[in-house]
Amino acid sequence: MSVERRRRTRFDAPEVSDPRREHLQELCRAITAYPKLAAGVVERYGVAVVNVTYLSAAGGPVLAQDIGCDRFGDTWWFVWANDGARIAPVSELEAAVREIAYEMGADS
């Protein structure tokens, strides 16, 4: 009797989830839907962040900020990457987008 043994391939490896990147991708999608803002997930020093750019009426970039995502206790928060100040919990995505737009001057 012959027994075949299947080789393990890289496709057999279980998916590894990265909650930080998943939250940042959700934030990126929400920000790009907001008028006057553009966003993309980028790597800064090996850590994923959302780079948010405020666009002027002429279409040129005016201001850019990086938004990170950190876990405090049991809760994930969106934070300003430059100083770590908390913006909003990831469960309050709309509030985070409004705060980011306000701080970048895109809410008017």
Side-chain angles (χ1 to χ4, degrees):
M1 183 185 277
S2 161
V3 176
E4 288 185 31
R5 208 165 85 181
R6 196 174 115 192
R7 281 190 174 150
R8 188 168 172 88
T9 67
R10 66 184 177 98
F11 298 109
D12 293 335
E15 289 290 319
V16 177
S17 68
D18 182 356
R20 174 178 284 114
R21 185 171 283 279
E22 290 171 10
H23 296 311
L24 291 173
Q25 288 171 334
E26 288 177 23
L27 178 65
C28 185
R29 283 190 292 274
I31 288 173
T32 56
Y34 197 93
K36 302 181 189 176
L37 293 178
V41 177
V42 298
E43 294 277 331
R44 299 276 194 243
Y45 306 106
V47 177
V49 295
V50 174
N51 179 260
V52 182
T53 305
Y54 167 63
L55 304 172
S56 69
V62 173
L63 177 65
Q65 291 286 331
D66 287 338
I67 309 299
C69 185
D70 287 330
R71 188 173 177 176
F72 297 95
D74 292 336
T75 306
W76 284 93
W77 285 75
F78 294 118
V79 298
W80 296 104
N82 63 337
D83 64 4
R86 296 178 194 185
I87 298 170
V90 297
S91 60
E92 298 177 20
L93 186 61
E94 299 297 321
V97 173
R98 282 193 308 272
E99 178 65 19
I100 293 165
Y102 173 77
E103 290 295 328
M104 295 186 72
D107 65 332
S108 56

